[in-house]
Amino acid sequence: METILIVEDDAKLAGLLSAYLSKYEYRTVVVKDFNTVLECFQESSAELVLLDVNLPKYDGFYWCRQIRSLSLCPILFISARDSGMDQVMALENGGDDYITKPFHYEVVLAKIRSHLRRAYGSYAHNQEERKLQSSGGLTLYPERFIIQYNGGTAELTQKEAALLEALLLKEGRVVSRERLLDLMWEDQHFIDDNTLNVYITRVRKKLKDLGLEEAVETIRGAGYRLSTVGE
């Protein structure tokens, strides 16, 4: 039984979410004291977090960064704020998805199942650890969400790892935006058009921090390509 931490200051909505998810055999923990979100996360051993943006004292972006410093578990934002910038902020601060209120509970459930399956499903647990390496020495550990290059290491989110894996597997060749969206999200209908751009930017920054500048190339009208690195 997976544990889901619900960080939502609307007590009625938090209760409805908890009751709905409990019907599908998820254990839920609802945060009551919003000064202790990080402590609640640690004590609950949550596998996934539903996180509102508007919270007392510190907003959801702050708490996302705090949780992300400890864990790579899926973090799904739920918010009435529907601007593109809010969605970008959520992703930039370590979130994996963004659900706009009002929402259908079935959509929330589907997204939860999808993220849990990708993070902890049978594929993730039962296979030997994979190691993907580019021709220039960039190494990706897809199940651990880690990249290494020239002695340096960087952590990725789940979706950043999926994105980089797709590019690594076709190193030197173009991967279309549509293909990347299919690999990263099961239902593109709910994905903002700018979302993929945000993840590309985040991956580029992490590669740059390791000394790989301009490793991910934009091919206008076609998609993206991981250029031969280390040359």
Side-chain angles (χ1 to χ4, degrees):
M1 180 182 291
E2 293 96 340
T3 298
I4 298 172
L5 182 69
I6 300 174
V7 190
E8 165 62 63
D9 67 340
D10 182 333
K12 181 178 180 181
L13 177 57
L16 289 171
L17 274 170
S18 177
Y20 182 82
L21 294 174
S22 295
K23 290 193 302 183
Y24 293 90
E25 299 185 349
Y26 290 108
R27 173 179 173 255
T28 60
V29 175
V30 178
V31 172
K32 301 291 177 56
D33 181 353
F34 295 97
N35 291 314
T36 62
V37 172
L38 195 60
E39 290 85 345
C40 289
F41 172 75
Q42 292 175 292
E43 292 171 3
S44 68
S45 299
E47 280 91 0
L48 182 143
V49 179
L50 292 178
L51 179 61
D52 193 7
V53 174
N54 291 324
L55 295 171
K57 194 170 182 179
Y58 298 109
D59 63 18
F61 303 139
Y62 169 83
W63 288 118
C64 184
R65 293 194 302 272
Q66 302 309 304
I67 293 171
R68 188 57 75 220
S69 70
L70 300 176
S71 172
L72 294 173
C73 77
I75 300 175
L76 282 61
F77 277 89
I78 49 174
S79 177
R81 291 160 58 167
D82 60 358
S83 75
M85 183 53 65
D86 285 315
Q87 297 182 41
V88 169
M89 286 286 291
L91 298 174
E92 289 284 5
N93 281 279
D96 295 290
D97 214 328
Y98 194 98
I99 305 170
T100 304
K101 302 175 186 175
F103 49 71
H104 295 288
Y105 288 91
E106 294 85 356
V107 172
V108 177
L109 178 64
K111 285 181 175 287
I112 287 172
R113 284 175 167 169
S114 174
H115 283 280
L116 288 174
R117 184 165 56 248
R118 291 172 184 270
Y120 312 108
S122 57
Y123 179 77
H125 282 301
N126 294 335
Q127 300 293 324
E128 291 184 5
E129 181 179 43
R130 293 182 301 140
K131 174 182 175 181
L132 303 177
Q133 193 164 34
S134 75
S135 60
L138 174 67
T139 302
L140 168 69
Y141 295 90
E143 279 74 47
R144 284 196 286 149
F145 311 145
I146 288 175
I147 49 174
Q148 294 178 338
Y149 178 74
N150 198 29
T153 299
E155 293 185 351
L156 306 172
T157 66
Q158 179 185 351
K159 291 209 179 322
E160 289 168 358
L163 170 59
L164 193 51
E165 178 178 357
L167 295 173
L168 261 172
L169 288 173
K170 288 201 168 187
E171 182 185 5
R173 292 174 288 169
V174 177
V175 183
S176 69
R177 287 180 61 89
E178 292 74 19
R179 176 59 177 160
L180 291 173
L181 287 167
D182 282 339
L183 289 170
M184 295 172 69
W185 291 279
E186 293 184 351
D187 191 342
Q188 297 182 34
H189 179 71
F190 301 102
I191 302 303
D192 183 89
D193 187 56
N194 191 49
T195 302
L196 181 58
N197 296 339
V198 172
Y199 279 99
I200 289 289
T201 298
R202 288 167 57 177
V203 167
R204 280 174 170 156
K205 182 181 184 305
K206 291 183 178 181
L207 291 173
K208 182 179 179 181
D209 290 344
L210 291 177
L212 294 170
E213 297 199 30
E214 301 181 2
V216 178
E217 182 182 1
T218 299
I219 308 300
R220 190 172 298 276
Y224 300 94
R225 176 173 62 200
L226 182 70
S227 302
T228 302
V229 296
E231 294 186 355

